[in-house]
Each structure stands twice: as structure tokens, then as C-alpha cells.
Amino acid sequence: MENYIGIDIGGTGIKGIILTAENKRLAKACVPSCSQAGSEKVCEQIFTLIDSLLLHSNLSSNDITRIGMGIPGHWDKEKRVLSHCSNLPLSNIPFVEKIEKKYGIEVITANDANAATLGEYILGAGRGTTNMLFVTVSTGIGAGAIINGKLFSGSSGNALELGHITIEQNGLPCSCGNRGCAELYASGAAIAKAAEYMYFTLGDDITAEKVFQAAAAGNSKACFIIRDAMESLGACLSVAAQLFDPELIVVGGGLTKAGPQVIDAIKIGIKTRCAKPIAEHLSIEPAQLGEDAGVYGAALLAKNK
Ligand SMILES: [Zn+2]
């Protein structure tokens, strides 16, 4: 009997599941990532999660074929560490090796957005397709691609850094070192920041959600900010569509909760900016697995190795 553990490492929580070879979920668990407490504590939390999954499914480490992990940040394939991780103290920490040593199980990793792409492709909105893109728009923008039925991760494992493609040549400086990145104009954080710049009176804690609500209530500044951000998002996604000519783009992430605007903006961007044969063959659909796409994708990564 083959079983696979999927782990999705996030800035605030670490999620895990055990999946059988038939894609049946045997257990699920979630622990806080305790990112403020340092790297040792984060590793301990991963162990706690794995122990809890094994306990709840009545399995031992011998019953697990492989572990798949969706990880945030830039992966160094040779050293098997994150070379850059902004939300967690895991940069240059050999946590994958530590897990393998402790449990004697091989660990496979993928960028968290790439893992979510695999989840949506096999168990969500992408079922039955051959070429699809997945994009998640929340605080930042993440993406992944399925090409000819396979997850495309690129030569370094970091493909589809869509949030950091240049959409303003001389635009704002980005934490990645580039200027004018899509994420600075089209993400939840960009919307909140634009509202702050425009001296919005939405209270102290301005969020993208509040700006969407103000726009829905007819606030003209909020409407302007949302329209601008959605145009940037449409432009960003049209670049990806032109490059990959997919049959489907699946859209997920916190911003999609604001209503149909996000998907509509991408549809308009595709229609106005893409070559006609590409636009005509392309559907845009909302994600189906919600926040669980990453953890299912991580388990499927382990299974499909
Ligand atoms: Zn950037």
C-alpha cells in the first residue's frame, strides 16, 4: 500500500495531508509555523505536523512512500535549501535533509504556487486539460504551468515568477531587486498601498478587501485604484497566455473572494492584448480547491515523481 504526505509551508501555518495512491485523504493537520521563533522551531513544527498525520492515520513512517513539500521562496536545487525566503526563517536551512534523516523518507519539493498548480490540475478546475496555467493573486502573485500534461518547473525549479515580470520599465523598485514588477501594481498589497498613497479614510489597517468594498459602494478613488490594478493584472496574465498558449487559466487566491472582477479583468486583458488564436482557445476559470490546492498538490508531487 502506497501513501504520500503533502506539506504546504506558509508564513503563518503549515498544513499537511496523507493521500493514498487512489487520491483518498487519510488524514489532515495544521500547525502554526511559529516563524518569529526561529528556524529550529519551524523545523520542530514540521516534525509535529508529520507525527500528528501519522498518528491520526494509524500509519508509521514505513507506510509512507514519499513526502512532497510546497515551499515559499527561491529554491537552490543543488544545495537543496531555500536561497531566499521572505516570510519564514528558512533561508539556507537544510530542513529537507533533516526531515529525510528523521523519518527515512525521501522528500520532493516544489515552489508553493507550482504545487498548487498540480493540485488544481489533477483534482480541481484543471481536470481533463493538457496545457493550463494557475495563478494565485493574494498579497503577492504566484503562478505555475502544466505543459503537455506535466508540471513545468524550469531548469532551477523556480519557473513562472509571474509576480516579478516587468510591466513598468522604469517603475517602482521591488524587493526582488527589479523595478516595475507586476506584483507592485496588480496584487492585494499593491491595492492596499495605492489606497494609502491616496490618503484614503478606510481606518488604520487598509486592506485590499476594504478598497474593494469602498469601490463597490461607489467611492471614486477606490474605483480608480481597483480599475488600475485589474488592468495591470490583465496585462500580466496576457503575457503568460501569449508565452504558453494554454487552453485554461485557473485563478485562485484571496483577491478572487472580492467577486468576479478579478476573473473579468483577466478575461478583458486576454481579449484586448493577446493574439486572436490564443485568446479564442483560452478559458478562464476560478480555482476549485481553495486554500487546499497547495497541500494536495504537494502530496501529488510526491506521488507523481
Ligand atoms: Zn519583483
Side-chain angles (χ1 to χ4, degrees):
M1 195 171 72
E2 296 199 338
N3 302 289
Y4 305 89
I5 289 181
I7 299 175
D8 184 26
I9 302 190
T12 52
I14 307 171
K15 283 191 218 170
I17 59 165
I18 295 184
L19 212 60
T20 67
E22 293 76 37
N23 294 339
K24 187 176 169 248
R25 194 185 72 197
L26 296 183
K28 77 183 258 196
C30 186
V31 295
S33 48
C34 300
S35 55
Q36 306 298 325
S39 61
E40 279 293 323
K41 181 66 184 167
V42 178
C43 292
E44 268 175 39
Q45 290 299 90
I46 299 172
F47 297 157
T48 304
L49 177 86
I50 295 172
D51 292 342
S52 159
L53 287 169
L54 292 173
L55 185 73
H56 285 103
S57 56
N58 252 332
L59 297 175
S60 78
S61 55
N62 292 333
D63 301 313
I64 305 298
T65 309
R66 263 184 299 277
I67 296 174
M69 285 179 101
I71 46 173
H74 292 154
W75 184 243
D76 185 325
K77 217 174 176 178
E78 272 166 34
K79 294 184 188 158
R80 299 185 80 210
V81 295
L82 282 161
S83 57
H84 174 76
C85 180
S86 51
N87 294 329
L88 287 159
L90 289 178
S91 303
N92 298 308
I93 303 293
F95 60 96
V96 164
E97 209 173 280
K98 284 185 183 185
I99 298 167
E100 288 181 339
K101 226 177 230 174
K102 183 169 165 66
Y103 295 95
I105 309 171
E106 184 189 6
V107 177
I108 314 277
T109 62
N111 168 291
D112 50 4
N114 285 354
T117 304
L118 195 61
E120 283 292 337
Y121 171 60
I122 295 177
L123 297 173
R127 275 171 296 176
T129 62
T130 310
N131 293 296
M132 71 157 250
L133 300 181
F134 170 74
V135 60
T136 170
V137 194
S138 296
T139 312
I141 297 175
I146 300 290
I147 307 292
N148 296 329
K150 287 219 160 80
L151 181 68
F152 174 76
S153 33
S155 58
S156 72
N158 295 291
L160 274 287
E161 275 282 16
L162 212 54
H164 297 282
I165 60 164
T166 306
I167 59 165
E168 290 282 348
Q169 203 177 340
N170 297 306
L172 301 166
C174 181
S175 61
C176 74
N178 186 18
R179 295 191 86 90
C181 292
E183 203 164 277
L184 301 173
Y185 301 88
S187 64
I191 290 169
K193 207 158 198 179
E196 265 174 48
Y197 280 136
M198 291 178 83
Y199 303 105
F200 239 124
T201 45
L202 292 173
D204 291 337
D205 186 24
I206 299 179
T207 60
E209 197 183 348
K210 284 186 185 173
V211 185
F212 270 107
Q213 282 165 1
N219 182 305
S220 61
K221 279 183 183 173
C223 288
F224 174 80
I225 290 168
I226 296 295
R227 199 165 49 234
D228 208 36
M230 292 301 102
E231 262 182 40
S232 297
L233 184 64
C236 170
L237 264 291
S238 70
V239 172
Q242 299 265 57
L243 284 173
F244 291 100
D245 187 12
E247 61 201 279
L248 174 70
I249 297 180
V250 176
V251 189
L255 231 60
T256 54
K257 289 180 193 154
Q261 293 110 307
V262 177
I263 287 181
D264 287 348
I266 295 170
K267 283 182 181 169
I268 293 167
I270 301 290
K271 205 174 169 192
T272 53
R273 295 172 195 272
C274 285
K276 221 176 164 193
I278 290 174
E280 279 175 353
H281 286 97
L282 178 53
S283 309
I284 318 290
E285 300 284 345
Q288 288 180 359
L289 300 182
E291 288 170 359
D292 286 338
V295 74
Y296 274 94
L300 292 165
L301 188 76
K303 186 184 150 187
N304 293 359
K305 189 213 166 187

